[in-house]
Structures are given as C-alpha cells and as structure tokens.
C-alpha cells in the first residue's frame, strides 16, 4: 500500500489544481496507475491487482483523495466495477475482464438514470437476452469516469428482476456525453450515457441476473460507499494540512491565527472530523474484510459520517484560509466543492439517514 500511495503522490502531487481547471486528468496517468493495478488495488494478484484488503485499499484511496478527488473518483468507479465482476462474475468472466481492469483500461459504473437517482428501483434501462447476444437500451446519468472508460458496468431491468452487463463504450449504439462544468471533482469525467439497442455477447451478462434490483446493487454500492468514505478522509487530511500550515504562518492582531481561540475551534473540529471519519472507515473496512453480519450498515455509517465531516471540515478550511484559499481550484476551495458532492453520491445524506434509522430500529428493537 505504501508503494502504491507513493506512486500516486509521485504522479499526481501538485497537479490537481491544474487538472481541476482543465477538467481533465492525463490519460497516461490513468493508464499507468491502472496498469500497476492501483485503480482497483483489492483485485487479487492472480488477476493483476495488488491483492489489498479493504483496510489497506482504504489507505491508498485516502492518500489519493488527499491529492486529487477527481482521480480518487475514477479509482472508486474502477473499484466498484472490478468488485461487481469479482463478486458476480463466473471464473471465465473474471479471467476476461479483471486483467483488463488491471492493465490500463478503465470502467465506469452506471446505476443512475434521469428519472431514477435515489430511487434506483425506478430505473428503466432494459437488458434483454436475444439468442447469444444481450441487448441494452436506456439512458444513464452522471457516470463517473465514463469519459475515460472503455468499459461500463450497466445495471438495468431484466425480466422480473435486474441484471448487470459489461458494455464496451465503443459498441455501436453507445453515446457518451460529458457533463459540462460539474460543481466538483471536475476532472472525474462524469458523463451521460445513452444506449440504443446496444448488442454485446451473452457472456457479458454478469451473474446474479434476475435478482431483485435492490439486492443486486447492494454489494457494489457498499464497496463504493467505503471507497467514497475513505476519499472523504483524504479531503479532510488535505484541509488539515493547509489549515495547520496557514494558521501557523499568517499573523493577525500580533499573533499567528492558530493562537486565536475561534480559529482554534475550527482546527479542533477539523481534527475531530478527520479522526472520527478515519475511525468510521477503519471499522467499515474491518467489517467488510471479516464479513461481519451488519457490514453494509456500517459502510453506510462510514460514508455518512465521512461525507458530513468532509463538507463541514472543508467549509472550515476555506474560512480559516479566507482570501488565501478563495481561488476556485485552490486545495481548500476544491475540497469545499468536492466534499459537497460526497453528500449526494453513493446514497445521499438523506438516504443514508433513512438506512441508518432502519438500522437503529433493528438493532435497538
Ligand atoms: P434525487 O433522487 O432526485 O434526490 C433529490 C433530493 O431528495 C436529495 O437531497 C435526496 O437525498 C432527497 N431524497 C430523495 N429521496 C428521498 C427520500 N426517500 N427521503 C428523503 N430524502 C430523499 N450515478 C451512477 O450511476 N454512477 C456514477 O458513477 C455516479 N457518479 C456521480 C458523481 C457525481 C459527482 C454526482 C453528483 C452524481 C453521481 N451519480 C452517479 C448519480 C448519483 O448517484 C445521484 O445523483 C444520487 O443517487 C442522487 O440522485 P438524484 O441526483 O437523482 O437526486
């Protein structure tokens, strides 16, 4: 994990601001990290991954998030796609797709639709088997990394249930259109994807076809939630670093900002936020690794706590840096915009609260 994190830092440090302004990550960077297995580092080594457990993968994701949330977003999507194949793919599907995801190709994951965001059960994309091909028709929205991806894991209706299918972005009938000027993670390559009677070979249909939609999405979403939560830890660490640096150097009213008690409150809360989010993530990763019975709810808790802390902490960081951080792609300004989006994705704060209320009603009944 240290080698992978050092590689991310070596390739990405100091460049996130420029990438954010250009709204583009260098494709060679994505290819290089992908080819080293670092974009889905929990894939077993036998398939070209780094074989990290969730705990160590989390540390890598946090280090990436501390450097660049756009790159971390691409890593999260790649991780979910690889997990979907690992969890639901047959031996032949794993042997076909996983080595592609650890040799430089990237994948996006398409759940959301214009009329189905929080309410994924309302999705209308159709996946139909037609002899030895699978036909996919539908529209997906906000697919992170689709701009860079050669593969998409697409969720849709399949008979009375749902299914996942691997769709190459260059298949006839696929159109990928970038979302202009996203609020944050501007270089993450979010796109709308239209699929008009796209035909792929039958072996692109992953296992689990026919399961109820919410059951099918739960495991990939849980993987994504843990990843996003660790990404938020990275945002908090980037903010802490800036706040500590700036508040010890900048003098106001004759003493460094860090000596003023109301600034100290910001520093204390940011530190408490980073620690709380880290502990929640470590716990979620431990439960994932040891497959504890309530690990899915623990992942929701980690994502919720980490996203809320990141949004609050980034706002504090902007406040402490004041004019020094008030440039649109400055590290704390990026954190402020990126963190807000973390309260929306992978189950918004409200959806997280609904799920956590259910959990409380079960555990405390
Ligand atoms: P809506 O579902 O319309 O919700 C609007 C508001 O109502 C929210 O505040 C929500 O919390 C609240 N709300 C909705 N239902 C309830 C309820 N029952 N109780 C209380 N409050 C409720 N999708 C993908 O498939 N793949 C991706 O890679 C991906 N990446 C994304 C990246 C970014 C930066 C963003 C912004 C979105 C991304 N999405 C992706 C889409 C994302 O999953 C959805 O935006 C998210 O699920 C919320 O759906 P929505 O935007 O349609 O909001």
């Amino acid at each position: 994990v240290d080698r992978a994190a050092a590689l991310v830092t070596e390739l990405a440090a100091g460049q996130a601001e420029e990438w954010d302004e250009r709204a583009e990550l260098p494709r060679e960077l994505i290819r290089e990290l992908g080819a080293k297995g670092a974009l889905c580092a929990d894939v077993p080594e036998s398939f070209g991954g780094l074989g990290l457990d969730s705990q160590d993968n989390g540390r890598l994701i946090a280090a990436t998030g501390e450097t660049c949330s756009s790159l971390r977003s691409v890593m999260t999507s790649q991780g979910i796609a690889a997990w979907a194949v690992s969890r639901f793919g047959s031996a032949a599907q794993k042997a076909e797709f996983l080595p592609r995801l650890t040799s430089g190709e990237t994948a996006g994951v398409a759940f959301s639709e214009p009329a189905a965001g929080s309410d994924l059960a309302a999705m209308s994309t159709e996946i139909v088997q037609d002899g030895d091909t699978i036909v996919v028709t539908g529209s997906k929205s906000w697919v992170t990394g689709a701009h860079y991806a050669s593969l998409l894991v697409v969720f849709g209706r399949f008979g009375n249930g749902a299914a996942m299918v691997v769709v190459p972005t260059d298949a006839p009938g696929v159109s990928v259109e970038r979302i202009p000027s996203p609020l944050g993670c501007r270089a993450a390559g979010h796109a709308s994807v239209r699929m008009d009677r796209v035909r792929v070979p039958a072996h692109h249909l992953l296992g689990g076809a026919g399961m109820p939609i919410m059951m099918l999405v739960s495991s990939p979403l849980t993987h994504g939630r843990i990843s996003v939560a660790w990404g938020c830890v990275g945002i908090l660490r980037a903010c802490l670093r800036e706040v500590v640096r700036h508040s010890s150097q900048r003098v106001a009213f004759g003493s460094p900002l860090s000596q003023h008690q109301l600034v100290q409150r910001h520093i204390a809360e940011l530190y408490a936020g980073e620690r709380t989010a880290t502990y929640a993530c470590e716990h979620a990763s431990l439960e994932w690794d040891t497959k504890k019975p309530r690990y899915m709810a623990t992942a929701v808790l980690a994502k919720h706590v980490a996203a809320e802390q990141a949004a609050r902490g980034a706002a504090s960081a902007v406040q402490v840096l004041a004019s020094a951080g008030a440039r649109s792609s400055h590290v704390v300004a990026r954190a402020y915009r990126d963190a807000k989006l973390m309260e929306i994705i992978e189950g918004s704060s409200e959806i997280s609260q609904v799920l956590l209320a259910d959990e409380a009603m079960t555990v405390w009944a």
Side-chain angles (χ1 to χ4, degrees):
V1 63
D2 292 340
R3 278 220 317 276
L7 178 69
V8 170
T9 310
E10 180 197 322
L11 295 176
Q15 302 188 69
E17 182 166 344
E18 187 199 328
W19 297 339
D20 188 69
E21 272 164 11
R22 281 198 289 123
E24 188 81 28
L25 294 169
R27 284 179 190 259
E28 322 79 72
L29 166 89
I30 298 177
R31 245 193 316 273
E32 184 168 351
L33 287 173
K36 295 216 158 72
L39 291 182
C40 46
D42 55 349
V43 167
E45 285 170 295
S46 52
F47 293 114
L50 303 179
L52 301 187
D53 62 14
S54 176
Q55 215 48 264
D56 279 344
N57 196 28
R59 291 194 184 101
L60 171 61
I61 292 164
T64 308
E66 188 176 338
T67 307
C68 175
S69 278
S70 290
L71 181 60
R72 197 278 308 152
S73 300
V74 168
M75 186 179 265
T76 292
S77 297
Q78 183 90 340
I80 302 174
W83 172 248
V85 175
S86 299
R87 167 75 180 78
F88 291 99
S90 64
Q93 288 170 325
K94 287 182 209 174
E96 175 172 359
F97 296 117
L98 290 178
R100 291 175 65 176
L101 298 180
T102 56
S103 60
E105 284 191 67
T106 51
V109 185
F111 305 95
S112 310
E113 300 182 0
S118 303
D119 182 10
L120 284 178
M123 72 171 61
S124 62
T125 292
E126 286 219 324
I127 301 174
V128 177
Q129 179 124 27
D130 179 19
D132 58 0
T133 61
I134 301 291
V135 186
V136 190
T137 303
S139 290
K140 294 292 181 181
S141 30
W142 280 93
V143 183
T144 299
H147 170 61
Y148 306 109
S150 57
L151 298 174
L152 300 173
V153 174
V154 176
F155 289 75
R157 302 197 159 280
F158 182 79
N160 292 328
M164 274 173 289
V165 63
V166 179
V167 176
T169 50
D170 63 359
V174 178
S175 67
V176 176
E177 194 179 324
R178 271 197 89 167
I179 294 180
S181 310
L183 170 67
C185 301
R186 285 181 184 162
H190 310 109
S192 306
V193 177
R194 277 220 329 274
M195 290 159 292
D196 183 11
R197 281 164 289 150
V198 176
R199 284 184 176 272
V200 297
H203 70 270
H204 281 219
L205 185 71
L206 296 176
M211 275 167 75
I213 179 74
M214 294 320 289
M215 202 180 279
L216 191 69
V217 298
S218 61
S219 179
L221 274 180
T222 299
H223 193 282
R225 284 171 178 150
I226 296 176
S227 182
V228 167
W230 279 108
C232 290
V233 167
I235 292 176
L236 283 158
R237 290 179 184 169
C239 289
L240 259 180
R241 196 181 299 283
E242 278 301 301
V243 162
V244 167
R245 185 192 57 73
H246 183 76
S247 66
S248 52
Q249 290 170 0
R250 173 79 173 169
V251 173
F253 300 96
S255 45
L257 291 177
S258 58
Q259 302 300 312
H260 295 288
Q261 288 188 341
L262 290 180
V263 175
Q264 287 177 332
R265 188 182 60 192
H266 284 301
I267 299 169
E269 291 300 311
L270 190 45
Y271 178 64
E274 185 274 334
R275 288 290 77 201
T276 311
T278 300
Y279 299 145
C281 285
E282 287 173 349
H283 188 55
S285 280
L286 182 68
E287 293 217 342
W288 171 279
D289 285 332
T290 51
K291 285 290 170 276
K292 285 284 187 300
R294 313 210 67 79
Y295 75 101
M296 287 192 180
T298 310
V300 173
L301 179 66
K303 190 271 171 185
H304 181 52
V305 166
E308 299 274 308
Q309 291 297 342
R312 205 172 307 151
S316 286
V318 172
Q319 193 67 21
V320 172
L321 269 81
S323 62
R327 236 176 335 99
S328 88
S329 295
H330 185 282
V331 53
V332 296
R334 266 189 290 119
Y336 184 66
R337 292 184 284 101
D338 297 343
K340 183 63 208 167
L341 294 180
M342 300 306 113
E343 295 187 309
I344 295 172
I345 62 166
E346 234 58 50
S348 62
S349 293
E350 291 77 11
I351 294 301
S352 300
Q353 285 163 337
V354 169
L355 295 171
L356 291 172
D358 281 350
E359 177 69 1
M361 296 304 287
T362 305
V363 172
W364 290 89

